[in-house]
Amino acid sequence: MPQNLLILGGTTEASSLAHLISKTNLKATISYAGRVERISQQPIPKRIGGFGGATGLASYILAERITHLVDATHPFAAQMSENAIAASKMTGIPLIALTRPPWQPKAGDNWHQVSDITHAVSFLSQEPLRVMLAIGRMHLAAFYDNQQHFYLLRLVDLPKTPPLFSNQIIEVARGPFTAAQDAALLSHHKINLIVAKNAGGSGSYAKIEAARQLGIHVLMIKRPVIRNRQELYNLGDVIDWLG
Ligand code: NAP
């Protein structure tokens, strides 16, 4: 059977893979959850929206005669990744994860690492700070109990229902950003703590670099552990895996 890939997307890596695949004679579709309003143009067919859990994904794989599943979702999209593992088992279709190694602290970094959002929220139950909450929009509500801080939120889209912090500024912007841009933003808002997810990769690293330059503390949320899958870190290895 000719190869027919399903790329689970939502990341720069997924888009880069789509571009690379479009230059070959392989057939592929890229899938999005549909969380953001503007999905970037892709050179391969795309589909948008959930599959309906692992069984829904398995049904899609069989119906569309998918031969290879590439999970190129964000390292914090753990549910989708677990569904991909389960659907691969159900269908016997091979799965690879295209991901990025987590960032490691370097000399000059001032990180406090926590295991998840809940621990980040607990860490913030302290005296008022000026916080850049750089975690996307999905988990903002978890921080609503800590209203004593000023929050700088950077979001891809202006939310339909604005977040409910009493002292907040929303910056609508889509990365990647440079360290110089982020240093200017952090200085302008007099930020003294960044809350970030350890996403890895270069797309959202600028704020971490800027924090190092400015001596700003980072509350770094560790990524969820996803077991039972093979992970690759570069596009060429995915092409080799496809054989
Ligand atoms: P998640 O919690 O792991 O997934 C929740 C549900 O959303 C999944 O069960 C699935 O619904 C649907 N879904 C997720 N990714 C999908 C995809 N690529 N195609 C089709 N359905 C998808 O995911 P999330 O953390 O909300 O992330 C959603 C999307 O945003 C992902 O594509 C991810 O790569 C991207 N993203 C996430 C983050 C982050 O910090 N989490 C950051 C940047 C980008 P069904 O069960 O109905 O199939």
Side-chain angles (χ1 to χ4, degrees):
M1 201 181 357
Q3 290 183 337
N4 183 15
L5 276 66
L6 176 61
I7 302 169
L8 302 173
T11 58
T12 314
E13 289 78 4
S15 300
S16 304
L17 182 62
H19 278 85
L20 188 61
I21 295 284
S22 72
K23 297 190 178 97
T24 70
N25 52 11
L26 295 172
K27 193 177 165 205
T29 303
I30 186 163
S31 172
Y32 291 95
R35 298 271 195 276
V36 297
E37 280 170 19
R38 292 160 293 134
I39 291 177
S40 53
Q41 283 293 327
Q42 293 299 337
I44 61 171
K46 63 174 177 256
R47 64 160 302 286
I48 300 172
F51 297 94
T55 49
L57 176 57
S59 304
Y60 178 93
I61 287 170
L62 296 175
E64 297 297 322
R65 297 175 174 268
I66 300 298
T67 60
H68 293 76
L69 182 55
V70 181
D71 177 5
T73 56
H74 189 272
F76 279 74
Q79 183 60 58
M80 188 69 250
S81 292
E82 294 294 352
N83 290 354
I85 293 167
S88 164
K89 280 202 186 110
M90 284 179 221
T91 57
I93 292 301
L95 164 72
I96 201 74
L98 171 62
T99 185
R100 333 131 175 191
W103 299 317
Q104 301 297 334
K106 293 186 181 172
D109 279 330
N110 199 338
W111 290 12
H112 180 82
Q113 301 197 59
V114 288
S115 52
D116 52 26
I117 297 268
T118 309
H119 286 86
V121 171
S122 309
F123 182 87
L124 278 182
S125 56
Q126 50 169 290
E127 75 279 2
L129 296 169
R130 296 186 65 82
V131 179
M132 179 180 187
L133 195 50
I135 58 163
R137 82 186 143 89
M138 297 293 287
H139 298 285
L140 293 179
F143 291 85
Y144 286 172
D145 282 348
N146 292 317
Q147 290 288 351
Q148 70 274 36
H149 309 297
F150 161 81
Y151 289 99
L152 170 64
L153 311 172
R154 182 161 61 194
L155 303 173
V156 175
D157 300 308
L158 192 61
K160 288 188 181 76
T161 320
L164 297 173
F165 294 109
S166 49
N167 190 5
Q168 68 184 24
I169 286 185
I170 302 174
E171 168 102 358
V172 177
R174 189 188 282 254
F177 308 98
T178 65
Q181 286 168 329
D182 277 2
L185 182 75
L186 294 167
S187 301
H188 178 73
H189 292 288
K190 300 185 173 55
I191 298 300
N192 42 32
L193 179 75
I194 298 176
V195 182
K197 291 173 169 175
N198 194 335
S202 57
S204 58
Y205 190 64
K207 60 181 178 287
I208 308 301
E209 221 176 310
R212 185 184 313 127
Q213 287 167 14
L214 299 172
I216 293 174
H217 292 235
V218 177
L219 180 60
M220 186 64 82
I221 304 170
K222 291 184 190 170
R223 59 175 62 183
V225 178
I226 298 161
R227 295 191 175 82
N228 303 320
R229 67 177 191 174
Q230 191 189 344
E231 297 185 349
L232 297 175
Y233 293 144
N234 66 68
L235 300 180
D237 289 345
V238 175
I239 300 296
D240 290 348
W241 174 78
L242 290 167

